[in-house]
């Protein structure tokens, strides 16, 4: 019930290689992620020939190469999708992919995906949202660059198209790679959940793992994080991604936090109950006390162990009569 759905975002870090994609699936499965996610697109339908790269892409790829040429090399065809889905089944990890155009939405639907991830860049794409909403599947909606009104509009489109509100999880996100800490604004994630009465989570592009772990403590039910086999590989997203050992550390930390959050009911835990006798105190005789003698503040004391009368009953015991003889330090 407290399980956080962790998406290891391989994205385009396969560099167009099926073998590298399988190695990424291996790393995600080994780390204990619930799903590994790729990206499905046709370059011709995604960007115009003269579209510029983002600044972070210019820093991590060939500056003479257009955005179109860069992503054209990163397409995964239908047969590759089928091969990777089969491989994920073998590795017992869910295959996910983000579609970036209508043909890709249809392809993933025909391949049987039950969860559709909407990237931040498509949150203002009405026909796209309507298409995914009409499928009636589980939807994970990223909200990088969006304000609260744009999120509301996107949710309205998805729901009107046929997706149930309870089947939508909204992810707070920031699309800068890497995201500066001062721009994370993690509290906005909770604002989204409260504003729209939806499940919420966090898609992280910061360096390190502390922010997604913190998001879990704030109620995130889905965490998404980019990963790679090697940050030094050529490609747009490698440098802002976790390496396999870091991904595993993040998953382990989240799983520990899941358990540590507990039920919310404040009561002695099973592990600490034995300590109650050791650490708590009881009312004892401060001096020898004879039968019939009146207990006073002078002949009583409060000392360990805690298996006698609770000191909260002090007022009740002071002024009462001893029913037997007591030695010093004997439990009353």
């Amino acid at each position: 019930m407290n399980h956080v759905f962790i998406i290891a975002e391989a994205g385009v870090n396969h560099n167009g290689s099926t073998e590298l994609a399988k190695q990424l699936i291996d790393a995600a499965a080994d780390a204990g992620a619930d799903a590994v996610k790729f990206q499905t697109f046709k370059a011709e339908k995604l960007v115009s020939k003269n579209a510029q790269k983002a600044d972070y892409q210019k820093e991590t790829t060939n500056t003479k190469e257009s955005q179109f040429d860069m992503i054209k090399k990163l397409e995964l065809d239908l047969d590759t999708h089928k091969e990777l889905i089969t491989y994920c089944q073998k590795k017992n990890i869910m295959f996910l992919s983000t579609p970036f155009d209508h043909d890709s939405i249809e392809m993933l639907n025909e391949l049987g995906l039950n969860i559709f991830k909407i990237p931040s860049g498509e949150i203002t794409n009405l026909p796209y949202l309507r298409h995914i909403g009409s499928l009636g599947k589980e939807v994970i909606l990223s909200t990088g660059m969006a304000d609260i009104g744009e999120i509301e509009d996107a949710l309205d489109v998805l729901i009107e198209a046929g997706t149930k509100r309870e089947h939508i999880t909204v992810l707070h996100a920031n699309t800068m790679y890497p995201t500066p800490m001062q721009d994370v604004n993690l509290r906005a994630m909770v604002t989204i959940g409260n504003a729209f009465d939806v499940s919420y989570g966090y898609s992280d592009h910061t360096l390190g793992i502390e922010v997604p772990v913190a998001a879990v403590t704030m109620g995130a039910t889905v965490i998404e994080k980019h990963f790679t086999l090697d940050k030094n590989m050529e490609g747009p997203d490698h440098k802002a991604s976790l390496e396999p050992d870091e991904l595993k550390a993040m998953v382990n930390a989240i799983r520990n936090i899941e358990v540590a959050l507990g039920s919310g009911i404040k009561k002695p835990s099973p592990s600490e109950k034995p300590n109650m006798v050791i650490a708590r105190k009881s009312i004892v005789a401060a001096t020898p006390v004879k039968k019939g003698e009146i207990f006073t503040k002078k002949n009583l004391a409060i000392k360990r162990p805690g298996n006698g009368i609770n000191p909260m009953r002090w007022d009740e015991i002071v002024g009462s009569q001893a029913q037997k003889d007591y030695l010093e330090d004997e439990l009353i």
Side-chain angles (χ1 to χ4, degrees), residues 170-189:
V170 180
L171 303 188
H172 175 52
N174 182 297
T175 57
M176 185 62 194
Y177 292 67
T179 302
M181 285 297 176
Q182 64 268 25
D183 287 349
V184 170
N185 192 18
L186 200 53
R187 289 191 177 100
M189 177 185 71

Side-chain angles (χ1 to χ4, degrees), residues 4-297:
V4 175
F5 189 71
I6 300 176
I7 301 171
E9 169 69 83
V12 294
N13 283 345
H14 50 76
N15 287 1
S17 163
T18 303
E19 185 54 40
L20 193 55
K22 288 182 177 179
Q23 291 176 30
L24 286 162
I25 292 169
D26 289 338
D30 182 59
D34 297 288
V36 57
K37 189 174 77 63
F38 295 90
Q39 295 178 7
T40 304
F41 54 84
K42 293 292 184 184
E44 289 81 3
K45 295 181 181 294
L46 179 55
V47 298
S48 56
K49 295 289 198 301
N50 57 356
Q52 294 295 306
K53 294 179 183 178
D55 288 342
Y56 75 88
Q57 293 173 335
K58 292 176 182 177
E59 293 174 4
T60 56
T61 61
N62 185 347
T63 55
K64 297 179 181 179
E65 181 184 57
S66 69
Q67 184 183 165
F68 178 88
D69 291 336
M70 176 186 74
I71 69 169
K72 183 64 181 174
K73 298 183 298 185
L74 303 173
E75 286 182 355
L76 300 175
D77 62 19
L78 177 60
D79 288 340
T80 302
H81 277 75
K82 290 179 178 178
E83 188 175 347
L84 295 181
I85 288 171
T86 300
Y87 194 73
C88 281
Q89 291 169 343
K90 178 182 173 183
K91 290 293 181 175
N92 198 30
I93 187 169
M94 185 183 295
F95 173 92
L96 292 178
S97 190
T98 296
F100 284 84
D101 55 75
H102 292 282
D103 289 351
S104 296
I105 293 172
E106 280 305 307
M107 185 173 87
L108 293 176
N109 189 41
E110 290 170 6
L111 286 170
L113 266 67
N114 292 318
I115 299 175
F116 275 75
K117 167 67 196 304
I118 298 174
S120 293
E122 306 301 333
I123 197 168
T124 57
N125 186 340
L126 175 60
Y128 174 102
L129 294 170
R130 190 173 282 154
H131 191 168
I132 287 185
S134 70
L135 303 177
K137 302 293 184 73
E138 297 276 344
V139 172
I140 298 174
L141 173 66
S142 271
T143 61
M145 304 175 291
D147 61 32
I148 206 78
E150 290 171 327
I151 298 171
E152 182 176 21
D153 290 343
L155 287 172
D156 287 345
V157 172
L158 290 168
I159 292 167
E160 288 170 10
T163 298
K164 295 180 179 178
R165 181 180 295 270
E166 57 267 30
H167 289 170
I168 301 173
T169 300
V170 180
L171 303 188
H172 175 52
N174 182 297
T175 57
M176 185 62 194
Y177 292 67
T179 302
M181 285 297 176
Q182 64 268 25
D183 287 349
V184 170
N185 192 18
L186 200 53
R187 289 191 177 100
M189 177 185 71
V190 181
T191 299
I192 291 167
N194 292 337
F196 303 114
D197 190 27
V198 291
S199 296
Y200 59 83
Y202 177 60
S203 179
D204 184 50
H205 299 129
T206 64
L207 298 176
I209 68 172
E210 62 265 46
V211 179
V213 173
V216 172
T217 70
M218 296 171 69
T221 60
V222 174
I223 292 293
E224 179 181 76
K225 182 75 172 177
H226 279 265
F227 78 107
T228 179
L229 298 180
D230 185 348
K231 293 180 183 181
N232 295 314
M233 294 179 76
E234 183 179 345
D237 296 343
H238 292 286
K239 279 186 168 52
S241 300
L242 298 180
E243 291 187 345
D245 58 338
E246 295 172 306
L247 178 65
K248 184 178 289 189
M250 185 194 79
V251 173
N252 289 341
I254 289 172
R255 298 302 178 222
N256 284 337
I257 292 298
E258 283 175 338
V259 176
L261 286 172
S263 67
I265 299 170
K266 179 55 183 170
K267 61 179 182 179
S269 70
S271 64
E272 69 178 345
K273 281 184 178 178
N275 295 337
M276 294 171 73
V277 172
I278 306 300
R280 288 190 170 185
K281 296 176 179 177
S282 305
I283 300 175
V284 302
T287 61
V289 178
K290 297 294 183 181
K291 181 179 179 180
E293 192 175 337
I294 300 300
F295 288 124
T296 68
K297 293 179 181 179

